[in-house]
Amino acid sequence: MKKWSTAFLLLTLVLVLAACGSKPQETSQGSSDTSSKGSATTETTTEPVKLVVGATAVPHAEILNFIKPKLKEEGVDLEVKEFTDYVLPNTQLFEKQLDANFFQHQPYLDDQNKKNNFNLVSVVGVHVEPFGAYSKKYKTKDEIPNGAKVAIPNDATNGGRALLLLAKNGLITLKDGVGINATVKDIASNPKNLQFKELEAAMLPRVLDEVDLALINTNYALEAKLVPTKDALFIEDKESPYTNILVARPDNKDSEAIQKLAKALTSPDVKKFIEDKYQGSIVPAF
């Protein structure tokens, strides 16, 4: 009898231990499932990379806003910060308040780097904005009278650009070799005795009523509802070297987000957008 009791107890103990031994295996499997689910959740809720890009309103901000949805799909949350001047976008980029900017051409960037000890760099060229001369008083350059008041940008590169355009159209001549660095002091001949007024570029459309001729950057002309290909008395041709560029810093220019932005800005979709929307007033550079 004792033998049967002992055998029964041993059998019971074996069954209990077997049952207990199976529980950790179930728990381990459950833990593995939870871990796997957690990993999947993390992958699908990855936060997009935010890029803050400074731009003038037309056309730069318009182009950037056009590509926002595409960049969103690629994990880049693009915030466009609009500026009305050409100074603050570079200052804020250098101070890391911006991740990039899009409003200027290479000669202007070179000048600003030199003057302010910046080290900003071009990432990619996007488009050309042919520079034009506008008047509310005259329809052709031949009508411009002696002593006419002519407004040009007061920054070094765009001022030189305006003078080069005037020289190309026979209104003045410049000293040999001055190129884009020309100033009013470099005018060699001025047969019509034009009177020059140097103003901040953004101000030029506002003084059209007060002057006989104003040489205006295309972005500001468009903001003022001027159509360069129709309203300009004369304008740069498509061979203009002043390509507008995406600009960043040396520390972030090669980052994945900046490179995605650069690729989007030079995509076939953007090329078509520029050609359809601006009808030749702005020309793709890629």
Side-chain angles (χ1 to χ4, degrees), residues 1-9:
M1 186 69 177
K2 286 183 179 180
K3 289 181 179 180
W4 282 107
S5 298
T6 302
F8 179 76
L9 288 172

Short mmCIF file of all heavy atoms in Angstrom, two decimals, residues 1-9:
data_model
loop_
_atom_site.label_atom_id
_atom_site.label_comp_id
_atom_site.label_asym_id
_atom_site.label_seq_id
_atom_site.Cartn_x
_atom_site.Cartn_y
_atom_site.Cartn_z
N MET A 1 0.83 -1.20 0.00
CA MET A 1 0.00 0.00 0.00
C MET A 1 0.86 1.25 0.00
O MET A 1 0.63 2.21 -0.71
CB MET A 1 -0.92 -0.02 1.24
CG MET A 1 -1.91 1.10 1.27
SD MET A 1 -3.15 0.89 -0.03
CE MET A 1 -4.17 2.28 0.30
N LYS A 2 1.90 1.22 0.81
CA LYS A 2 2.81 2.37 0.87
C LYS A 2 3.48 2.59 -0.45
O LYS A 2 3.73 3.70 -0.88
CB LYS A 2 3.85 2.14 1.97
CG LYS A 2 3.28 2.30 3.37
CD LYS A 2 4.37 2.14 4.41
CE LYS A 2 3.81 2.33 5.82
NZ LYS A 2 4.86 2.16 6.84
N LYS A 3 3.80 1.40 -1.14
CA LYS A 3 4.47 1.55 -2.44
C LYS A 3 3.56 2.24 -3.43
O LYS A 3 3.99 3.09 -4.22
CB LYS A 3 4.85 0.17 -2.97
CG LYS A 3 6.00 -0.46 -2.19
CD LYS A 3 6.35 -1.82 -2.78
CE LYS A 3 7.51 -2.45 -2.02
NZ LYS A 3 7.89 -3.78 -2.57
N TRP A 4 2.27 1.85 -3.44
CA TRP A 4 1.33 2.52 -4.36
C TRP A 4 1.18 4.00 -4.02
O TRP A 4 1.11 4.85 -4.90
CB TRP A 4 -0.05 1.81 -4.27
CG TRP A 4 -0.09 0.50 -5.04
CD1 TRP A 4 -0.11 -0.74 -4.52
CD2 TRP A 4 -0.11 0.37 -6.44
NE1 TRP A 4 -0.13 -1.69 -5.50
CE2 TRP A 4 -0.14 -1.02 -6.74
CE3 TRP A 4 -0.12 1.26 -7.51
CZ2 TRP A 4 -0.16 -1.54 -8.02
CZ3 TRP A 4 -0.16 0.72 -8.79
CH2 TRP A 4 -0.17 -0.64 -9.04
N SER A 5 1.14 4.32 -2.77
CA SER A 5 1.02 5.74 -2.36
C SER A 5 2.22 6.54 -2.81
O SER A 5 2.13 7.66 -3.31
CB SER A 5 0.86 5.84 -0.82
OG SER A 5 -0.31 5.19 -0.42
N THR A 6 3.39 5.93 -2.62
CA THR A 6 4.63 6.64 -3.02
C THR A 6 4.66 6.84 -4.51
O THR A 6 5.01 7.91 -5.02
CB THR A 6 5.86 5.82 -2.57
OG1 THR A 6 5.80 5.63 -1.16
CG2 THR A 6 7.14 6.52 -2.95
N ALA A 7 4.24 5.81 -5.26
CA ALA A 7 4.24 5.92 -6.72
C ALA A 7 3.27 6.99 -7.19
O ALA A 7 3.53 7.76 -8.11
CB ALA A 7 3.87 4.55 -7.32
N PHE A 8 2.10 7.02 -6.54
CA PHE A 8 1.09 8.03 -6.91
C PHE A 8 1.60 9.44 -6.67
O PHE A 8 1.44 10.34 -7.49
CB PHE A 8 -0.20 7.75 -6.10
CG PHE A 8 -1.28 8.74 -6.40
CD1 PHE A 8 -2.02 8.67 -7.58
CD2 PHE A 8 -1.54 9.78 -5.49
CE1 PHE A 8 -3.01 9.59 -7.82
CE2 PHE A 8 -2.52 10.68 -5.76
CZ PHE A 8 -3.27 10.60 -6.93
N LEU A 9 2.25 9.62 -5.53
CA LEU A 9 2.80 10.96 -5.21
C LEU A 9 3.87 11.37 -6.20
O LEU A 9 3.96 12.53 -6.62
CB LEU A 9 3.37 10.94 -3.78
CG LEU A 9 2.33 10.89 -2.64
CD1 LEU A 9 3.02 10.66 -1.30
CD2 LEU A 9 1.53 12.18 -2.61
#
